[in-house]
Amino acid sequence: MTDAPDLPPRLALAWGVAERPERAPKRELSIERIVETAIEIADADGLGAVSMAKVAQRLGFTTMSLYRYVTSKDDLLLLMQEAALDVEYPPPHDPADWRAELREWAQFTMATFASHPWFLDIPVTGAPLTPNNLRGADSGLRALRSTPLDDEEKMSVILLVSGYARNAARLQTDLARAVAAADGDATVQGGAWADALRELVDEVRFPYLRPLVEAGTYAGEGDIDDTAWGLERVLDGIAVYVDARAAGAPGAGNRGGSGSTPVDGPGADGAASAPDPRDAVAPVEVAVHLKDPKVKKATLRRRDAERRVREAQKKVRELEKALREAQKAEREAARAAVEKARA
């Protein structure tokens, strides 16, 4: 074990390797309490309501007290995202089924975003490097363990599916906000203007849109769940690529070889037919997984174990540093003794 890696303050905080204040205020304050309070504010009033001053006021401390633990609002936002991602992903299938597992991973990701609508309001400023972000990526890669894809291809699949999940969640969140801003009036989504559109959308300017407006398809509620349908089409495209790779087609990646995990399970050949999107795991089941008391309890136990591991690792680093200093002092003392004897 070596000294803790040199990380920017926000990443060091997320990984639990940042130095914590030795002297706490009169009443207990911690990074965890600060982040939890900020999330409560964001969940209730949106990301715009979160400020260091408001969090401090809610906790009963001065704003400057918070800066002893979190060095900036940007750091706080990253820690809020990290806390929101501290969830247990659905377990793997046995035997492996890459398509079903990747579908569940995408649905779970969307449900996680939906549970904290402010999450997607925080701009992406770089590659995900925090532990819970990486746990999410690891869970997605696990879904692809039975495919013949190489490492680069697997990462590209994860980026593709997570990008779809992020975009779908953003659209759902924005529409929900629009309805909420209209005091629950769902007509803001366009359904109430179908008759007006029939008058305005003519076949000259909108030759291909006109038939949809005329039939009520454009602004009406259809039988297709657009989000689930779109996800299935993304998975269809991946399945075609997996089939080609299984048949010996060259891969797009040039690093990582043919994958580090042997192909196993019925999903390896990608031959399973695409199910009806309505047969996919229901979003309510994903939401239940997020809120299930047993899952929450298990998550708390994992967090506590991870915290104790970090503390133990920090102690080991301190002891190793003390050992190196003692060894250095011993060498210097021996060298001085030899020089003295020679003199």
Side-chain angles (χ1 to χ4, degrees):
M1 175 138 348
T2 59
D3 289 338
D6 185 16
L7 294 172
R10 64 173 65 185
L11 291 180
L13 286 170
W15 281 96
V17 297
E19 293 294 331
R20 299 203 176 203
E22 295 182 2
R23 293 183 298 169
K26 293 181 180 179
R27 286 180 289 170
E28 183 182 358
L29 186 61
S30 66
I31 294 174
E32 291 76 16
R33 285 192 65 197
I34 292 170
V35 173
E36 288 172 4
T37 302
I39 288 177
E40 290 173 1
I41 294 172
D43 284 346
D45 303 317
L47 192 64
V50 176
S51 68
M52 299 293 277
K54 192 162 186 177
V55 173
Q57 182 183 24
R58 180 75 65 89
L59 288 168
F61 290 92
T62 65
T63 304
M64 290 308 299
S65 297
L66 267 62
Y67 285 104
R68 291 165 52 86
Y69 296 83
V70 181
T71 54
S72 70
K73 182 180 177 182
D74 286 343
D75 292 358
L76 176 59
L77 295 179
L78 181 139
L79 292 175
M80 289 168 62
Q81 284 188 311
E82 180 67 3
L85 293 175
D86 195 1
V87 293
E88 287 301 315
Y89 286 82
H93 290 215
D94 186 18
D97 183 341
W98 74 261
R99 182 166 182 142
E101 292 179 50
L102 196 58
R103 179 190 301 113
E104 290 176 6
W105 182 77
Q107 292 175 328
F108 189 82
T109 300
M110 286 186 277
T112 302
F113 292 153
S115 66
H116 298 290
W118 49 266
F119 188 102
L120 297 176
D121 293 333
I122 301 177
V124 176
T125 58
L129 298 174
T130 54
N132 289 332
N133 244 315
L134 295 179
R135 283 180 59 244
D138 186 77
S139 179
L141 290 170
R142 183 189 67 193
L144 299 172
R145 68 192 182 283
S146 63
T147 69
L149 305 183
D150 66 29
D151 295 343
E152 280 191 281
E153 291 168 327
K154 289 177 181 178
M155 278 306 305
S156 293
V157 168
I158 294 305
L159 289 173
L160 172 64
V161 177
S162 64
Y164 178 83
R166 189 179 186 92
N167 183 66
R170 161 60 73 190
L171 179 60
Q172 292 174 350
T173 296
D174 288 350
L175 289 174
R177 285 174 175 168
V179 173
D183 295 325
D185 184 2
T187 61
V188 296
Q189 298 187 43
W193 316 117
D195 291 338
L197 286 176
R198 288 190 182 94
E199 297 294 328
L200 298 171
V201 178
D202 59 74
E203 59 275 8
V204 176
R205 287 184 296 170
F206 311 99
Y208 301 103
L209 181 61
R210 171 65 188 180
L212 278 67
V213 171
E214 182 66 27
T217 305
Y218 177 74
E221 291 289 337
D223 294 331
I224 294 177
D225 179 336
D226 293 331
T227 300
W229 188 89
L231 177 59
E232 291 305 319
R233 303 295 73 78
V234 172
L235 296 175
D236 284 345
I238 296 171
V240 170
Y241 189 81
V242 169
D243 285 348
R245 292 288 279 119
N254 55 23
R255 291 176 301 190
S258 59
S260 57
T261 306
V263 174
D264 66 293
D269 59 4
S273 59
D276 189 312
R278 287 169 289 188
D279 293 333
V281 177
V284 66
E285 294 179 24
V286 178
V288 167
H289 183 87
L290 279 170
K291 299 177 181 179
D292 186 275
K294 291 183 179 179
V295 175
K296 285 188 175 182
K297 187 175 180 180
T299 298
L300 290 174
R301 287 201 301 269
R302 173 181 57 75
R303 291 178 185 173
D304 182 63
E306 288 176 344
R307 177 185 58 77
R308 285 187 278 114
V309 167
R310 289 195 300 269
E311 292 173 352
Q313 290 173 335
K314 180 179 179 182
K315 187 64 176 178
V316 169
R317 289 195 298 269
E318 292 172 351
L319 291 173
E320 287 181 336
K321 183 178 180 181
L323 174 61
R324 290 194 296 272
E325 292 174 349
Q327 290 171 334
K328 180 181 178 182
E330 181 184 25
R331 289 193 299 270
E332 291 175 349
R335 189 180 303 111
V338 170
E339 292 176 353
K340 182 177 180 181
R342 288 175 178 173

